[in-house]
Amino acid sequence: MIHTLEWTDSGVRFIDQTKLPTEETYVTCKTYEQVADAIRNMVVRGAPAIGVAAAMGIALGVKTSKADSGAELKLEFDRMCDAMAKTRPTAVNLFWAIRRMQDKFEYLRTRPIVQTKQALVEEAQRMHAEDIAANQAMGRHGATLMPAQGGVLTHCNAGALATCGYGTALGVIRAAVEQGKRIHVYADETRPFLQGSRLTAWELMKDGIPTTVISDNMAGAMMKQGKIGVIVVGADRIAANGDVANKIGTYTVAVLAKENGIPFYVAAPFSTIDLETADGSKIPIEQRNPREVTHIAGKAMAPEGVQVENPAFDVTPAKYVAAIITERGITRAPYEDSLRKLAEATATVSR
Amino acid sequence: MIHTLEWTDSGVRFIDQTKLPTEETYVTCKTYEQVADAIRNMVVRGAPAIGVAAAMGIALGVKTSKADSGAELKLEFDRMCDAMAKTRPTAVNLFWAIRRMQDKFEYLRTRPIVQTKQALVEEAQRMHAEDIAANQAMGRHGATLMPAQGGVLTHCNAGALATCGYGTALGVIRAAVEQGKRIHVYADETRPFLQGSRLTAWELMKDGIPTTVISDNMAGAMMKQGKIGVIVVGADRIAANGDVANKIGTYTVAVLAKENGIPFYVAAPFSTIDLETADGSKIPIEQRNPREVTHIAGKAMAPEGVQVENPAFDVTPAKYVAAIITERGITRAPYEDSLRKLAEATATVSR
């Protein structure tokens, strides 16, 4: 069992993902500002994990608040939500989680502060549990799309480490393996942060799932050689038309999949679907520090002063996506209809 | 002026490409075995540079030989050629260069040993000069295909550092810039060896050509955003049907180019064209040490014991190649005809 993030009596505890796979260390954030820093610095990353981390950060801030009136607590709460919202712009789960905490806070407005604190802590813990349950449901649905045997390529880390446990894309793979499917995972190393080689390989090896690490630019050759039967990745935001923002390089994988006749699947909780964003062109793409590209393990890998681009995400147009796997089921094109119907059909159903 | 490899009185001198861009150091090989090691360990790399390095290594071995009969020298010579042939399997320029030295040796067979030694040293030096001249001719032809302004993407390093000077793909870019074209180069970092960020960016910055380094998996996003007008890469071997073996990841770039309607050009000397190999499936692809993928700057970036693939090259089918630029001119599909005609038409022309 991997404990990506946990609520503890002394604060929010994270496995430090910047240190894996060579060091398995944990950090406990004792203030909401520390949680915001952990998100910004990718101690915790992955859209679903970021969402729950933000909720827990807000719960932590509220719990430790010295405010002695509802109005004062509201001021502090707004500041906490703002701080979380500014950490990373692309993963919509972050904003979904903040909104959910805001709704809860609003609902509790007239209660005594002590009750509000308790209820927000419980809400964050509920989101943690729901996330794992959603991943397991996603796994059950998605496993039907996995081959009985053979290579499955994934990009970045959409695993237990990107969520509260089990994973989205890796949850689908785990569920398929649990059903007896003989899957060999090809993990793109995923430059510049190397989530694939550092994180995906680490968590799959823990589970004994056969894994081969490749440089990102080897994925095309593996597909062309027939080593990859299916591709499954996660998502940071899915627009209403089915365009998918995910880790930089996902678009490339999708184009290669199309060219080689390989189905390209996206697994993500419903909270990743952003029906208010019409298409991928409207999704804000985070640019990160050039140093992530120019330096590895502290060593310069490019001449000093060279220009760098470092977009953390790209957008894969819906036309490349064979299906989107959510905890509510599998949806297919045309996504404008199917995603809306999925939202409507389940809006009245309790999660 | 970049001195990638040079014949000197004390041996064959290389800029150590494993140390760039942080250290500009040179190593002088005093035996042919040391030259073979330099090729194997990628102190020198790039198909045209490897070819000339092998020729110089053989010349060095012959020059320093203690053999006192033609028969004995022949035995040693064969051993030198064998050693060179075993360094790296994919770049055909290596075998072309060895063959050229063998032909020369055969031609000189009845001469006194001292004359043979001198002639082989001169032959290797001639190949060095011819390589630079070929690159300059390639540049003149290829520059016509470059845009008047805008982004040009290249993969790996097909520059001065991959040749005896000026470069193939980067020679085309250099010639275009010399003609006043306003080109901004996007350099794929090119994992695992990082020839793009370490070498291409370094040599282009030396020449003041604007360069942006990107991770390999960002190239797709750059193309989709309209930042890339043209792509030009080198080659390690071009089969008779126009299939191109080049640095791993080239196939991916070509597929992305097709999907985005961007012309994909290959620049290579005629010695890279292997008419004896019918198509790309017959080109041997070197697998290198997994550690190149799992470790960067000596630090483990993947869990211990994970499986790894590390093919150094891939094959781009001819259908993706808009044109092949050689020192003899620009050729286009159908390559089976155009490459053969290029060979026939110029077979009688002195180089």
Side-chain angles (χ1 to χ4, degrees):
Chain A
M1 183 73 186
I2 293 163
H3 297 286
T4 306
L5 70 167
E6 277 185 303
W7 180 267
T8 74
D9 287 341
S10 51
V12 187
R13 186 168 175 266
F14 298 100
I15 189 167
D16 187 345
Q17 301 196 29
T18 65
K19 300 286 188 350
L20 290 170
T22 42
E23 292 173 49
E24 187 175 335
T25 55
Y26 294 82
V27 291
T28 299
C29 295
K30 294 179 185 307
T31 65
Y32 78 88
E33 291 96 334
Q34 287 176 2
V35 173
D37 282 343
I39 295 171
R40 191 177 297 109
N41 300 328
M42 294 171 77
V43 168
V44 62
R45 28 63 54 199
I50 287 173
V52 177
M56 285 190 175
I58 293 168
L60 180 65
V62 168
K63 181 191 159 197
T64 56
S65 165
K66 302 261 188 303
D68 53 13
S69 75
E72 201 183 326
L73 186 63
K74 172 76 165 84
L75 274 173
E76 288 187 16
F77 177 81
D78 288 347
R79 204 152 54 226
M80 293 168 203
C81 293
D82 270 5
M84 292 302 163
K86 280 179 187 146
T87 52
R88 299 194 68 194
T90 304
V92 76
N93 312 60
L94 176 69
F95 306 101
W96 167 87
I98 295 169
R99 169 67 55 90
R100 186 160 154 181
M101 293 299 273
Q102 286 169 329
D103 289 349
K104 192 75 186 178
F105 190 89
E106 190 60 26
Y107 173 77
L108 297 162
R109 211 161 45 93
T110 56
R111 308 284 175 86
I113 287 178
V114 61
Q115 264 191 37
T116 301
K117 288 183 172 187
Q118 181 59 23
L120 286 175
V121 168
E122 283 169 11
E123 186 70 5
Q125 287 175 302
R126 193 174 301 121
M127 288 161 77
H128 186 277
E130 283 175 6
D131 183 61
I132 296 174
N135 292 338
Q136 287 166 337
M138 227 176 286
R140 282 193 299 276
H141 297 304
T144 61
L145 300 174
M146 295 296 106
Q149 58 179 26
V152 174
L153 178 83
T154 190
H155 188 71
C156 192
N157 172 270
L161 289 167
T163 61
C164 298
Y166 205 68
T168 55
L170 297 193
V172 168
I173 289 170
R174 283 193 166 95
V177 169
E178 285 161 16
Q179 290 176 8
K181 294 189 172 187
R182 302 215 320 276
I183 288 175
H184 188 107
V185 178
Y186 285 82
D188 277 353
E189 65 175 12
T190 317
R191 280 279 292 149
F193 203 68
L194 298 168
Q195 290 94 333
S197 51
R198 295 196 305 104
L199 309 179
T200 293
W202 180 79
E203 66 166 271
L204 291 179
M205 281 183 81
K206 259 185 182 283
D207 278 5
I209 298 174
T211 305
T212 293
V213 168
I214 54 174
S215 297
D216 302 308
N217 58 19
M218 294 170 191
M222 298 299 121
M223 292 187 213
K224 190 152 151 282
Q225 289 165 26
K227 290 180 176 168
I228 312 290
V230 157
I231 293 159
V232 60
V233 301
D236 287 80
R237 190 185 300 217
I238 301 173
N241 73 338
D243 289 354
V244 175
N246 191 44
K247 181 52 52 193
I248 187 75
T250 303
Y251 165 69
T252 292
V253 171
V255 168
L256 287 164
K258 178 194 162 198
E259 192 73 7
N260 287 280
I262 298 168
F264 173 86
Y265 299 120
V266 174
F270 196 75
S271 55
T272 304
I273 297 166
D274 177 12
L275 294 177
E276 287 166 34
T277 295
D279 63 64
S281 70
K282 316 287 192 308
I283 300 175
I285 300 295
E286 176 183 11
Q287 279 274 348
R288 291 186 63 85
N289 194 323
R291 206 179 153 92
E292 289 182 354
V293 174
T294 55
H295 288 67
I296 310 182
K299 190 165 181 328
M301 294 294 170
E304 215 186 304
V306 73
Q307 294 175 66
V308 170
E309 292 240 20
N310 187 14
F313 306 95
D314 60 24
V315 172
T316 300
K319 67 174 176 181
Y320 298 103
V321 181
I324 297 174
I325 304 157
T326 78
E327 70 273 39
R328 303 181 181 185
I330 294 168
T331 58
R332 295 189 185 263
Y335 292 106
E336 221 136 51
D337 295 339
S338 62
L339 292 177
R340 204 184 54 240
K341 276 180 195 148
L342 199 69
E344 285 164 4
T346 49
T348 56
V349 178
S350 156
R351 295 182 70 208
Chain B
M1 185 71 188
I2 293 164
H3 297 286
T4 305
L5 69 167
E6 279 184 303
W7 181 267
T8 74
D9 287 341
S10 50
V12 187
R13 185 169 176 267
F14 298 101
I15 189 168
D16 187 345
Q17 300 197 30
T18 65
K19 298 288 189 350
L20 289 171
T22 42
E23 291 173 50
E24 187 174 336
T25 54
Y26 294 81
V27 291
T28 299
C29 295
K30 294 178 185 308
T31 67
Y32 78 89
E33 292 98 333
Q34 287 175 0
V35 173
D37 281 342
I39 296 171
R40 192 177 298 110
N41 301 328
M42 296 172 76
V43 168
V44 62
R45 28 65 51 200
I50 288 174
V52 178
M56 285 190 175
I58 292 167
L60 180 66
V62 168
K63 182 192 159 198
T64 56
S65 165
K66 304 261 189 302
D68 54 12
S69 76
E72 201 182 325
L73 186 62
K74 173 75 165 84
L75 274 175
E76 289 187 14
F77 177 81
D78 288 346
R79 205 154 50 226
M80 293 167 204
C81 292
D82 271 3
M84 291 301 163
K86 281 179 186 146
T87 51
R88 300 194 65 193
T90 305
V92 77
N93 311 60
L94 177 70
F95 306 99
W96 167 87
I98 294 168
R99 170 66 55 92
R100 187 160 153 181
M101 292 300 274
Q102 286 168 329
D103 289 350
K104 192 76 186 177
F105 189 89
E106 190 58 27
Y107 173 78
L108 297 162
R109 212 158 47 91
T110 56
R111 309 285 176 84
I113 286 179
V114 62
Q115 263 190 37
T116 301
K117 289 183 172 187
Q118 181 60 25
L120 287 175
V121 168
E122 284 169 9
E123 186 70 5
Q125 288 176 301
R126 193 174 302 120
M127 288 161 76
H128 186 277
E130 284 175 6
D131 183 61
I132 296 174
N135 291 337
Q136 287 166 337
M138 227 175 285
R140 281 191 300 276
H141 297 304
T144 61
L145 300 173
M146 295 296 108
Q149 58 179 28
V152 174
L153 179 83
T154 189
H155 188 71
C156 194
N157 173 270
L161 289 167
T163 61
C164 299
Y166 204 67
T168 54
L170 297 192
V172 168
I173 289 170
R174 283 194 166 93
V177 170
E178 285 161 14
Q179 290 176 7
K181 294 189 172 187
R182 302 213 322 274
I183 287 175
H184 188 107
V185 177
Y186 285 82
D188 277 353
E189 64 175 13
T190 317
R191 281 280 291 148
F193 202 68
L194 298 169
Q195 291 94 334
S197 50
R198 295 196 305 103
L199 310 179
T200 293
W202 180 80
E203 66 166 271
L204 291 179
M205 280 182 83
K206 260 186 182 283
D207 279 5
I209 298 173
T211 304
T212 293
V213 168
I214 55 174
S215 297
D216 302 308
N217 57 19
M218 294 171 193
M222 299 299 122
M223 291 188 213
K224 191 152 150 283
Q225 290 165 26
K227 290 179 176 166
I228 313 291
V230 157
I231 293 159
V232 60
V233 301
D236 287 80
R237 191 186 299 218
I238 299 172
N241 73 340
D243 290 352
V244 175
N246 190 44
K247 179 51 53 193
I248 188 73
T250 302
Y251 165 69
T252 292
V253 170
V255 169
L256 286 165
K258 177 195 162 198
E259 191 73 5
N260 287 280
I262 299 168
F264 174 86
Y265 300 120
V266 174
F270 196 75
S271 55
T272 304
I273 296 166
D274 178 12
L275 294 177
E276 288 166 34
T277 295
D279 62 64
S281 70
K282 316 288 192 306
I283 300 175
I285 300 296
E286 176 184 11
Q287 278 274 349
R288 292 187 63 84
N289 193 324
R291 205 179 153 91
E292 289 182 353
V293 174
T294 55
H295 289 66
I296 310 181
K299 191 167 180 328
M301 294 294 171
E304 214 184 306
V306 74
Q307 294 175 64
V308 170
E309 293 240 21
N310 187 15
F313 305 95
D314 61 25
V315 173
T316 299
K319 67 174 175 180
Y320 297 103
V321 181
I324 296 173
I325 304 157
T326 78
E327 70 274 40
R328 301 180 182 185
I330 294 167
T331 58
R332 296 187 184 263
Y335 291 106
E336 221 134 51
D337 295 340
S338 61
L339 291 177
R340 204 185 53 242
K341 275 180 197 150
L342 199 70
E344 285 164 3
T346 49
T348 55
V349 178
S350 156
R351 298 181 68 207

